[in-house]
Amino acid sequence: DLTILEHSEHSTLINALLSSCKHLFRNYVLRLCARKYAGTFAPNCLFQAVSDITKKLSNCNGKRKVQYESSEPADFKVDEDGMVYAVRSFPLSSEHAKFLIYAQDKETQEKWQVAVKLSLKPTLTEESVKESAEVEEIVFPRQFSKHSGHLQRQKRDWVIPPINLPENSRGPFPQELVRIRSDRDKNLSLRYSVTGPGADQPPTGIFIINPISGQLSVTKPLDREQIARFHLRAHAVDINGNQVENPIDIVINVIDMNDNRPEFLHQVWNGTVPEGSKPGTYVMTVTAIDADDPNALNGMLRYRIVSQAPSTPSPNMFTINNETGDIITVAAGLDREKVQQYTLIIQATDMEGNPTYGLSNTATAIITVTDVNDNPPEFTAMTFYGEVPENRVDIIVANLTVTDKDQPHTPAWNAVYRISGGDPTGRFAIQTDPNSNDGLVTVVKPIDFETNRMFVLTVAAENQVPLAKGIQHPPQSTATVSVTVIDVNENPYFTPNPKIIRQEEGLHAGTMLTTFTAQDPDRYMQQNIRYTKLSDPANWLKIDPVNGQITTIAVLDRESPNVKNNIYNATFLASDNGIPPMSGTGTLQIYLLDINDNAPQVLPQEAETCETPDPNSINITALDYDIDPNAGPFAFDLPLSPVTIKRNWTITRLNGDFAQLNLKIKFLEAGIYEVPIIITDSGNPPKSNISILRVKVCQCDSNGDCTDVDRIVGAGLGTGAIIAILLCIIILLILVLMFVVWMKRRDKERQAKQLLIDPEDDVRDNILKYDEEGGGEEDQDYDLSQLQQPDTVEPDAIKPVGIRRMDERPIHAEPQYPVRSAAPHPGDIGDFINEGLKAADNDPTAPPYDSLLVFDYEGSGSTAGSLSSLNSSSSGGEQDYDYLNDWGPRFKKLADMYGGGDD
């Protein structure tokens, strides 16, 4: 019997031994978690099989897979791990006080059962409270003992059940769990410890044990979503560290609490459903996950639709499977043309959807209604009109317009046009404009106005995909297209084209060959045709502009280069007088029959042979521009005159096309000989010709090759070619000579220029203005005595060495001139000039033209006569000035003036 103790706001654990099933529930401890709540059981109040079915029935005939059932499934359920819980809230009465739990082996089908009796006690005695408050004690199993020299196994202790701890506990901490004890602690001083994840392994420090009392405690709240089970090992050693008990396994299960809300994998879900779908059509699946235990109520989710927008045509167009999250349609009337999209708010709640205790979350499901072909295209008019000029193709005749209520640019909206009647020869086609969905009627074959003046086409329009089933509209729409053909001026045409005639060559001018006329296709237009010659490469023909008669204006020659494969082509033009005028061309092909009008010629025309008959001979053939039978076989012979031909040469016919020319005498002096050869063809009548063969007779080596120097003539170069080559060589030499002369002259001019002074200092062609002296010294009232005092100028001898300027006169003996009489002067001008001269001499940066230049001092008088008394012809007349001619063109004028003698 299990007793629920009424204990204020606290859970009471009661251990009981279930002995009704000696096989299955051996050593089975059942814990009952209850709470006082107006004398009722709340859902999820657990009855936990802490022994974990003796570790999955490991001690009950081996490992087994067991299925549990409750006799009262509406009130109590049992999980696979032996967890017993209340399904709903109900007052505890006599009818709920007892129920059965069934267990069945899935493999052997063996069954067991156990009875569970529930009762409430109104009060608790101090002894029961004290007893219930005592911490559970776990005792190490007894060891094997040695009796009479043999090992004897003593009776085992109880199997250690798992310890169940709820997650997120508020404490206080550390919270005592169980006490580990060994039977040997009565005789020995023992020390207890635990190892494993959560104790001495990460995460460390969650579980601690009192080493002396063996009290196992938890130090902080647990989180099942992080670690759902801890596996610890308890150890007992003496004070020396020697193991006195085998380690025991302690399993701590973290009991799940509903502390996690469901979370959707996506906040917004997108799905599609075709319009017109029947109820029950699958749309999409939404999925939420809960971090709580999925095998418990905390992780069991249920889905529902909170809202639907818009609510037309029904507020409940969709439903959702509360367990799987599958959304399906439940009502008919989905019409994309009316409602294109629905928005659903989906809620997921754990605790199997319990709105009171479950946690929930929401997501959005957007369902797009996809288009189906439920609307056929419809023509906007019953008859369409168009016109087309005759003989025109690839032009649009008419534009057909349709309307379609389906979604644009989808197969259900795209129109396909076809011509169902009125075009038996297939001259029209209809293409669909991808943007406007219009039908473009196009001409694909030329139309002749004289044959058809109008077409009445029957056209149909339908969608790319067939209409959906159940649609009452016709699948296609029909209309009529009336096409009018416009008459235009057409080109005249020759028949036949080309026209072939056969004629012998050699026809004389003025011979009428044929009549080549053209036809005008415009039967309803009164027009005249005139003919002109468009192409006549050899200018042999003419055509009458009115009747088209073709006559010759020159002799026809089959051997002309304008004749290809015996055919001569001439093109003629026929033009009408329509508006606009049109023209057509025709080709006349004249097949020329050969006559024997060409005499054969020797080939090759030049050859070589040795001075002696052996070892060479000359092989020749004939060239005839005629064809069989007016060509070969040929007859070769030598003429009777001059007599030296047959005396020196002999010719032998090898076959109908080839002959061999040989020396008849034993030796022929080297040189070039012209040998006439008579060649006769096989025409009727035959035609003969004396053709000249130029033969070079030369000295030969042992191989029969010519050894003469002058091989250029024998190689085929004539006198004209040799002269042309020599003229080219002479012209090239003249050009080279002229270039060399020009280069030497340019170098000579460059050297002459280097001898001259700088162009800025060249004064030959410049007028230099030195000073304005006025009318002479006698005409001026200047006191020149201030500038004519040589004693006021600082002598050169007193200037220090090293400061003389480059533009000063050198220190040497000066010519002595008569000293002019000096008049007294105040001396201020002389001091000024001396100070300026000293400043210029001591300034190294001053250019020379900023200083006073002393050229010379001639004294107060002059013994020289007037310059007007000088005569250039009498002074220095005996001096030779011819060297001026070698100084270049700049001194040419001086050379002419002084180097030319008396003239």
Side-chain angles (χ1 to χ4, degrees), residues 476-494:
Q476 64 182 14
S477 177
T478 59
T480 301
V481 181
S482 178
V483 180
T484 302
V485 183
I486 302 174
D487 189 18
V488 297
N489 189 19
E490 301 178 72
N491 298 324
Y493 60 93
F494 287 88

Side-chain angles (χ1 to χ4, degrees), residues 846-869:
Y849 46 79
D850 288 341
S851 62
L852 177 64
L853 303 181
V854 180
F855 293 98
D856 202 354
Y857 186 74
E858 299 180 356
S860 58
S862 177
T863 58
S866 174
L867 290 177
S868 61
S869 63

